[in-house]
C-alpha cells in the first residue's frame, strides 16, 4: 500500500461521526511550530520542580561516600535526562502539537513511556526522595509503609502478571477511537490518559530494570514479559500503519495545516509506534539476555565448590577453569623472578593494604593483623587468608574470586552482612595481595 | 503351599510440587495457543480497519448473553482456584466440588454460546465479520470443550485418590489451562463486544 494516499479524502460519514467530538476544540493550527505555545501549566511545573528538589535535596543529605556508592554519576545523569525528557514531552510546544497531530501525540507518548520512564527508574528516585526527609520522618514513613498495608498492596500490584495485564489493557484501551477522542475533548481525561501510560511504563520498567538488583522476575521470564508486551505494541503500530482509513476524529481537520492528510498522519504515528519503540524493546531484550548469561556464569562459579550440583556443562566450565589455572601456572614459570606463589598477584601493592582497609572501613568489622585498631568482631578475622578453602563459605579461594568478593559481596550473596564498599579494582587487588601476603 | 505376599505400600503417583515436566509442557501449549488467538484478534482489528461502511456490519453485538458468559468463566476460574486450595490442604472432596462446579459453569457457557450462535442473523460464510466471529468464538469454544474433558479426567483421578497435599501437579496444570481459557475469553469479549462500542 503506498504511503501517500492524500487523494483519498475522508469518507463523508467519518466526518459526520467526528463532528460532535470536534465541537469546541482542535482548532486548526497555523502549521508553524514557532507559533505553538509552551505549556507553563502550574501543577505540571510544581510536580517536576518537586521531583527535582526532592532528588537533589536527598542526594545532598547523603554523605558523599554513600552518595557515590548508591547513586553515582550515571544514575544522577539518567535522572537529569529523564526529567529533560518529561520537560520536552509535557512543557515544550510538543504538548500543544499533540492536539493537532496524532503523530506528535505518539512521539509524546514514546518520550513518556520509553525514554523518561526507564531513565527515571534507573536513577533510584524513591530512595533519594526518602532521604530528603529527616530521620524521624523517614521512620514514620517506614512505619506507615509496613503497617498501613501499603507495602503489601504495592507488592501485589507489582506482581508480573498484574503489571502485564495492566500494560496490555492500558495500551489497547487508550488507542481505541472512543477513549482517544474523550482524552482530546477533555483536559482531565487527557491527564488521566498520560497518567495511565506513565505509571504503567514505570511499573513495566521497574520489573525489567530492577534498579536495586533483587529481581522479582528472573531473567528468562523477563524476556518473555518484554517480548509479549513488545509484540502487542508492534501489532498495534502495524494496525495504525496499515489501516485503510483514519480512526481519530479529533485530528480530522487539524492535520492539513501541517501538510499531512489525517491518514498520512496516522501512518506516521503507526510507524513511530512500530519501529522506534520496537528498537527499544529489542535492545532491552538483548541487554537482558547478556545479563542472564552473566548471571548464569556467576551461579555456575558459585556452584562449583559445592560439587553436589555439578552438571555436565558445569564440568566443562570447571575443566576450562582448571586449564586456565594450569596455563597461568605455566606462564608464571616464564616470570624472570622464577616460579611465583599461587597467591601472587601481578601489579598489586600489598603494602597499600593496611591503609586501604582503614579507609574502606574493613577494620570496623574484622580483626586484621597489621592494621591498627582492627579488632572488629562482626566478620571473621582475616589472618592467614591464603590457607582457607573458601571465601565467605561459598567461593573457592583464589585471587579472582577474592577480588570479586571484595568488590561486590552483595552480588555474590545478596543480603549478607558484608556491604558493597565501592572498592576499585586496583584497591581490591592491593587488599587481596596484602591478605594473601599474611599466609 | 505357596503364599503370596502383597505389599500394602502403594507408590505415589505424579511428581511433587507443580513444576513437573507437564507444567512446562502446558506453558508451551499456552504459548502456542496464545499466539494463535493473538493473530486471530489481530486479523479482526486489521479487517475492521479496512472495512467499508458500518462496522460491525450487523450493528453492535448484543451483550445480553455475552456478559453472563463472561461472568460464568470468571466464576469458573475462582471455583477452580478454590478447589486447588482444597487439595493443597489435603481435602480431595473440596477439589471434587470445585471441579464439578467449574465443569457445570463451563457447560452452561457452551450452551449460552450455542444460543447466541443460533440467534445470529448471519452464517460462517456471510462476510468477513461473520467468518471472524464464528472462527474466533468457535476456536475458543473448542478450547473450553478440551478444558471440560480435562476437568472430567481430573475428577476421576481425584475420586481414585491419586492426589494429596504434596502430589497434585496434574491439578495445578489443569487449573493453569482453565485460567488461560478465561483470560483468552476476556480478550475475545473485549475485542468483539467492547471495542466496537468504544470505536
Amino acid at each position: 500500500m503506498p504511503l501517500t494516499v492524500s487523494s483519498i479524502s475522508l469518507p463523508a460519514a467519518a466526518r459526520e461521526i467526528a463532528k460532535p467530538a470536534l465541537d469546541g476544540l482542535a482548532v486548526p493550527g497555523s502549521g508553524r511550530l514557532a507559533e505553538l505555545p509552551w505549556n507553563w501549566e502550574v501543577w505540571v511545573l510544581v510536580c517536576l520542580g518537586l521531583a527535582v528538589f526532592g532528588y537533589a535535596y536527598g542526594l545532598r543529605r547523603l554523605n558523599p561516600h554513600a552518595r557515590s556508592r548508591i547513586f553515582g554519576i550515571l544514575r544522577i545523569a539518567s535522572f537529569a535526562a529523564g526529567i529533560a525528557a518529561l520537560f520536552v514531552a509535557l512543557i515544550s510546544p510538543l504538548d500543544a502539537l499533540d492536539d493537532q497531530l496524532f503523530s506528535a501525540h505518539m512521539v509524546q507518548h514514546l518520550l513518556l513511556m520509553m525514554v523518561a520512564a526507564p531513565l527515571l527508574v534507573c536513577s533510584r528516585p524513591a530512595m533519594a526522595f526518602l532521604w530528603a526527609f529527616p530521620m524521624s520522618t523517614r521512620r514514620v514513613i517506614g512505619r506507615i509503609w509496613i503497617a498501613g498495608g501499603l507495602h503489601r498492596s504495592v507488592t501485589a500490584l507489582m506482581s508480573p502478571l498484574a503489571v502485564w495485564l495492566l500494560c496490555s489493557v492500558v495500551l489497547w484501551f487508550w488507542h481505541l477511537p472512543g477513549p482517544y477522542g474523550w482524552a482530546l475533548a477533555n483536559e482531565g481525561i487527557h491527564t488521566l490518559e498520560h497518567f495511565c501510560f506513565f505509571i504503567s511504563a514505570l511499573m513495566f520498567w521497574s520489573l525489567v530494570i530492577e534498579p536495586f538488583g533483587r529481581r522479582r522476575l528472573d531473567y528468562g521470564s523477563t524476556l518473555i514479559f518484554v517480548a509479549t508486551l513488545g509484540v502487542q505494541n508492534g501489532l498495534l503500530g502495524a494496525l495504525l500503519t496499515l489501516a485503510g482509513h483514519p480512526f481519530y476524529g479529533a485530528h480530522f481537520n487539524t492535520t492539513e495545516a501541517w501538510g499531512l492528510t489525517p491518514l498520512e498522519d496516522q501512518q506516521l504515528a503507526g510507524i513511530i509506534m512500530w519501529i522506534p519503540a520496537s528498537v527499544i524493546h529489542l535492545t532491552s531484550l538483548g541487554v537482558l539476555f547478556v545479563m542472564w548469561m552473566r548471571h548464569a556464569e556467576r551461579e555456575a562459579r558459585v556452584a562449583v565448590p559445592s560439587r553436589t550440583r555439578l552438571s555436565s556443562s558445569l564440568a566443562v566450565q570447571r575443566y576450562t577453569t582448571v586449564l586456565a589455572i594450569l596455563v597461568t601456572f605455566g606462564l608464571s614459570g616464564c616470570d624472570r623472578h622464577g616460579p611465583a606463589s599461587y597467591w601472587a598477584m601481578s601489579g598489586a601493592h600489598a603494602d597499600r593494604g593496611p591503609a586501604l582497609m582503614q579507609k574502606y572501613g574493613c577494620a570496623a568489622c574484622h580483626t586484621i593483623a597489621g592494621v591498627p585498631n582492627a579488632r572488629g568482631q562482626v566478620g571473621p578475622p582475616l589472618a592467614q587468608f591464603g590457607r582457607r578453602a573458601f571465601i565467605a563459605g561459598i567461593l573457592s579461594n583464589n585471587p579472582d574470586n577474592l577480588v570479586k568478593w571484595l568488590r561486590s559481596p552483595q552480588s555474590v550473596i545478596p543480603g549478607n552482612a558484608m556491604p558493597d564498599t565501592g572498592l576499585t579494582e586496583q584497591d581490591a587487588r592491593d587488599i587481596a595481595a596484602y591478605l594473601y601476603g599474611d599466609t | 503351599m505357596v503364599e503370596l505376599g502383597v505389599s500394602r505400600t502403594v507408590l505415589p503417583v505424579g511428581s511433587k510440587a507443580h513444576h513437573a515436566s507437564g507444567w512446562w509442557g502446558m506453558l508451551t501449549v499456552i504459548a502456542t495457543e496464545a499466539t494463535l488467538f493473538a493473530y486471530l484478534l489481530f486479523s479482526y482489528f486489521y479487517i475492521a480497519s479496512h472495512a467499508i461502511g458500518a462496522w460491525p456490519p450487523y450493528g453492535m453485538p448484543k451483550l445480553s448473553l455475552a456478559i453472563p458468559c463472561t461472568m460464568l468463566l470468571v466464576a469458573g476460574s475462582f471455583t477452580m482456584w478454590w478447589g486447588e486450595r482444597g487439595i493443597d490442604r489435603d481435602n480431595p472432596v473440596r477439589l471434587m466440588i470445585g471441579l464439578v462446579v467449574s465443569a457445570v459453569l463451563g457447560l452452561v457457557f457452551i450452551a449460552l454460546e450455542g444460543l447466541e450462535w443460533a440467534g445470529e442473523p448471519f452464517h460462517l460464510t456471510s462476510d468477513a465479520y461473520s467468518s471472524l466471529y464464528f472462527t474466533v468464538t468457535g476456536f475458543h469454544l473448542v478450547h473450553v470443550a478440551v478444558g471440560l474433558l480435562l476437568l472430567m479426567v481430573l475428577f476421576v483421578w481425584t475420586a481414585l485418590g491419586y492426589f494429596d497435599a504434596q502430589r497434585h501437579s496434574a491439578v495445578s496444570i489443569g487449573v493453569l489451562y482453565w485460567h488461560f481459557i478465561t483470560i483468552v475469553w476476556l480478550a475475545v469479549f473485549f475485542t468483539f463486544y467492547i471495542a466496537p462500542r468504544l470505536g
Side-chain angles (χ1 to χ4, degrees), chain A residues 3 39 42 47 62 66 133 196 204 225 258 261 300 328 335 338 349 405 422 432:
Chain A
L3 257 172
N39 174 27
V42 176
C47 287
L62 271 170
F133 296 100
C196 287
F204 169 83
F225 179 77
W258 303 89
T261 65
T328 319
D335 199 310
H349 306 283
W405 168 254

mmCIF file of all heavy atoms in Angstrom, chain A residues 3 39 42 47 62 66 133 196 204 225 258 261 300 328 335 338 349 405 422 432:
data_model
loop_
_atom_site.group_PDB
_atom_site.id
_atom_site.type_symbol
_atom_site.label_atom_id
_atom_site.label_comp_id
_atom_site.label_asym_id
_atom_site.label_seq_id
_atom_site.Cartn_x
_atom_site.Cartn_y
_atom_site.Cartn_z
ATOM 1 N N LEU A 3 2.267 4.906 0.732
ATOM 2 C CA LEU A 3 2.074 5.728 1.928
ATOM 3 C C LEU A 3 1.314 7.013 1.600
ATOM 4 O O LEU A 3 0.654 7.568 2.445
ATOM 5 C CB LEU A 3 3.438 6.075 2.520
ATOM 6 C CG LEU A 3 3.808 5.260 3.746
ATOM 7 C CD1 LEU A 3 5.230 5.531 4.144
ATOM 8 C CD2 LEU A 3 2.868 5.543 4.891
ATOM 9 N N ASN A 39 3.651 25.032 27.363
ATOM 10 C CA ASN A 39 2.639 24.692 28.352
ATOM 11 C C ASN A 39 3.189 24.967 29.749
ATOM 12 O O ASN A 39 3.788 24.102 30.373
ATOM 13 C CB ASN A 39 2.253 23.218 28.191
ATOM 14 C CG ASN A 39 1.321 22.755 29.281
ATOM 15 O OD1 ASN A 39 0.576 23.550 29.844
ATOM 16 N ND2 ASN A 39 1.360 21.477 29.603
ATOM 17 N N VAL A 42 0.680 25.323 35.871
ATOM 18 C CA VAL A 42 1.331 25.412 37.182
ATOM 19 C C VAL A 42 1.584 24.036 37.782
ATOM 20 O O VAL A 42 2.695 23.741 38.232
ATOM 21 C CB VAL A 42 0.472 26.268 38.139
ATOM 22 C CG1 VAL A 42 1.099 26.267 39.519
ATOM 23 C CG2 VAL A 42 0.330 27.661 37.595
ATOM 24 N N CYS A 47 4.957 19.754 39.977
ATOM 25 C CA CYS A 47 5.328 18.337 40.101
ATOM 26 C C CYS A 47 6.784 18.114 39.693
ATOM 27 O O CYS A 47 7.555 17.462 40.413
ATOM 28 C CB CYS A 47 4.421 17.459 39.248
ATOM 29 S SG CYS A 47 2.771 17.284 39.921
ATOM 30 N N LEU A 62 22.724 12.844 51.873
ATOM 31 C CA LEU A 62 23.524 11.626 51.991
ATOM 32 C C LEU A 62 24.992 12.014 52.112
ATOM 33 O O LEU A 62 25.416 13.015 51.522
ATOM 34 C CB LEU A 62 23.355 10.789 50.727
ATOM 35 C CG LEU A 62 22.211 9.793 50.705
ATOM 36 C CD1 LEU A 62 22.053 9.251 49.308
ATOM 37 C CD2 LEU A 62 22.456 8.676 51.677
ATOM 38 N N ALA A 66 28.333 7.420 50.589
ATOM 39 C CA ALA A 66 27.107 6.680 50.280
ATOM 40 C C ALA A 66 26.502 7.168 48.972
ATOM 41 O O ALA A 66 25.975 6.388 48.188
ATOM 42 C CB ALA A 66 26.100 6.855 51.420
ATOM 43 N N PHE A 133 13.927 13.521 53.597
ATOM 44 C CA PHE A 133 13.285 13.759 54.894
ATOM 45 C C PHE A 133 14.261 13.452 56.019
ATOM 46 O O PHE A 133 15.156 12.626 55.857
ATOM 47 C CB PHE A 133 12.059 12.854 55.047
ATOM 48 C CG PHE A 133 10.978 13.142 54.063
ATOM 49 C CD1 PHE A 133 10.818 12.357 52.927
ATOM 50 C CD2 PHE A 133 10.119 14.225 54.247
ATOM 51 C CE1 PHE A 133 9.822 12.631 52.006
ATOM 52 C CE2 PHE A 133 9.124 14.503 53.331
ATOM 53 C CZ PHE A 133 8.972 13.708 52.217
ATOM 54 N N CYS A 196 -2.010 7.132 33.148
ATOM 55 C CA CYS A 196 -2.069 5.676 32.957
ATOM 56 C C CYS A 196 -0.830 5.189 32.213
ATOM 57 O O CYS A 196 -0.175 4.225 32.613
ATOM 58 C CB CYS A 196 -3.299 5.271 32.156
ATOM 59 S SG CYS A 196 -4.827 5.382 33.049
ATOM 60 N N PHE A 204 6.331 -1.266 34.410
ATOM 61 C CA PHE A 204 6.966 -2.164 33.453
ATOM 62 C C PHE A 204 8.483 -2.102 33.592
ATOM 63 O O PHE A 204 9.155 -3.126 33.779
ATOM 64 C CB PHE A 204 6.531 -1.772 32.038
ATOM 65 C CG PHE A 204 7.295 -2.435 30.937
ATOM 66 C CD1 PHE A 204 6.953 -3.705 30.519
ATOM 67 C CD2 PHE A 204 8.336 -1.784 30.292
ATOM 68 C CE1 PHE A 204 7.639 -4.326 29.491
ATOM 69 C CE2 PHE A 204 9.030 -2.395 29.265
ATOM 70 C CZ PHE A 204 8.682 -3.667 28.864
ATOM 71 N N PHE A 225 8.250 -11.573 29.251
ATOM 72 C CA PHE A 225 7.455 -10.416 29.674
ATOM 73 C C PHE A 225 7.629 -9.255 28.690
ATOM 74 O O PHE A 225 6.660 -8.702 28.172
ATOM 75 C CB PHE A 225 7.935 -10.037 31.082
ATOM 76 C CG PHE A 225 7.260 -8.855 31.713
ATOM 77 C CD1 PHE A 225 5.995 -8.962 32.249
ATOM 78 C CD2 PHE A 225 7.924 -7.633 31.803
ATOM 79 C CE1 PHE A 225 5.398 -7.875 32.859
ATOM 80 C CE2 PHE A 225 7.327 -6.552 32.396
ATOM 81 C CZ PHE A 225 6.054 -6.672 32.932
ATOM 82 N N TRP A 258 -0.477 21.095 8.603
ATOM 83 C CA TRP A 258 0.904 20.621 8.700
ATOM 84 C C TRP A 258 1.309 19.833 7.465
ATOM 85 O O TRP A 258 2.332 19.143 7.471
ATOM 86 C CB TRP A 258 1.080 19.765 9.956
ATOM 87 C CG TRP A 258 0.689 20.515 11.182
ATOM 88 C CD1 TRP A 258 -0.545 20.576 11.749
ATOM 89 C CD2 TRP A 258 1.509 21.377 11.949
ATOM 90 N NE1 TRP A 258 -0.551 21.401 12.830
ATOM 91 C CE2 TRP A 258 0.709 21.912 12.992
ATOM 92 C CE3 TRP A 258 2.856 21.752 11.872
ATOM 93 C CZ2 TRP A 258 1.201 22.817 13.916
ATOM 94 C CZ3 TRP A 258 3.345 22.635 12.817
ATOM 95 C CH2 TRP A 258 2.516 23.160 13.826
ATOM 96 N N THR A 261 -2.394 14.555 5.299
ATOM 97 C CA THR A 261 -3.793 14.147 5.418
ATOM 98 C C THR A 261 -3.920 13.383 6.733
ATOM 99 O O THR A 261 -2.920 12.889 7.271
ATOM 100 C CB THR A 261 -4.191 13.213 4.265
ATOM 101 O OG1 THR A 261 -3.435 12.014 4.401
ATOM 102 C CG2 THR A 261 -3.924 13.855 2.916
ATOM 103 N N ALA A 300 27.118 -20.537 38.201
ATOM 104 C CA ALA A 300 27.900 -21.745 37.972
ATOM 105 C C ALA A 300 29.185 -21.685 38.785
ATOM 106 O O ALA A 300 29.593 -22.661 39.388
ATOM 107 C CB ALA A 300 28.214 -21.882 36.496
ATOM 108 N N THR A 328 48.046 -20.532 33.557
ATOM 109 C CA THR A 328 48.587 -19.450 34.372
ATOM 110 C C THR A 328 49.855 -19.910 35.076
ATOM 111 O O THR A 328 50.856 -19.199 35.125
ATOM 112 C CB THR A 328 47.552 -19.007 35.414
ATOM 113 O OG1 THR A 328 46.292 -18.986 34.800
ATOM 114 C CG2 THR A 328 47.897 -17.650 35.990
ATOM 115 N N ASP A 335 58.121 -16.092 34.332
ATOM 116 C CA ASP A 335 58.459 -14.857 35.028
ATOM 117 C C ASP A 335 59.943 -14.877 35.383
ATOM 118 O O ASP A 335 60.488 -15.888 35.804
ATOM 119 C CB ASP A 335 57.604 -14.769 36.305
ATOM 120 C CG ASP A 335 57.549 -13.375 36.834
ATOM 121 O OD1 ASP A 335 58.634 -12.757 36.985
ATOM 122 O OD2 ASP A 335 56.438 -12.912 37.104
ATOM 123 N N GLY A 338 61.303 -16.175 38.649
ATOM 124 C CA GLY A 338 61.146 -17.572 38.998
ATOM 125 C C GLY A 338 59.705 -17.858 39.356
ATOM 126 O O GLY A 338 58.870 -16.960 39.357
ATOM 127 N N HIS A 349 49.955 -3.896 45.007
ATOM 128 C CA HIS A 349 50.879 -3.405 46.021
ATOM 129 C C HIS A 349 50.355 -3.763 47.396
ATOM 130 O O HIS A 349 49.498 -3.074 47.936
ATOM 131 C CB HIS A 349 51.041 -1.889 45.902
ATOM 132 C CG HIS A 349 51.444 -1.470 44.514
ATOM 133 N ND1 HIS A 349 52.724 -1.611 44.048
ATOM 134 C CD2 HIS A 349 50.729 -0.947 43.493
ATOM 135 C CE1 HIS A 349 52.784 -1.186 42.802
ATOM 136 N NE2 HIS A 349 51.583 -0.784 42.436
ATOM 137 N N TRP A 405 34.744 -10.887 45.342
ATOM 138 C CA TRP A 405 34.013 -10.838 46.610
ATOM 139 C C TRP A 405 34.210 -9.479 47.296
ATOM 140 O O TRP A 405 33.267 -8.875 47.782
ATOM 141 C CB TRP A 405 34.492 -11.979 47.507
ATOM 142 C CG TRP A 405 34.039 -11.876 48.931
ATOM 143 C CD1 TRP A 405 34.795 -11.529 49.999
ATOM 144 C CD2 TRP A 405 32.721 -12.103 49.426
ATOM 145 N NE1 TRP A 405 34.032 -11.529 51.142
ATOM 146 C CE2 TRP A 405 32.754 -11.876 50.812
ATOM 147 C CE3 TRP A 405 31.512 -12.470 48.836
ATOM 148 C CZ2 TRP A 405 31.629 -12.009 51.620
ATOM 149 C CZ3 TRP A 405 30.388 -12.607 49.640
ATOM 150 C CH2 TRP A 405 30.458 -12.372 51.019
ATOM 151 N N GLY A 422 32.270 -0.161 47.432
ATOM 152 C CA GLY A 422 32.672 0.662 46.300
ATOM 153 C C GLY A 422 34.163 0.627 46.038
ATOM 154 O O GLY A 422 34.752 1.602 45.573
ATOM 155 N N ALA A 432 43.723 -7.695 48.452
ATOM 156 C CA ALA A 432 43.854 -9.148 48.303
ATOM 157 C C ALA A 432 45.320 -9.550 48.442
ATOM 158 O O ALA A 432 45.651 -10.529 49.134
ATOM 159 C CB ALA A 432 43.298 -9.593 46.959
#
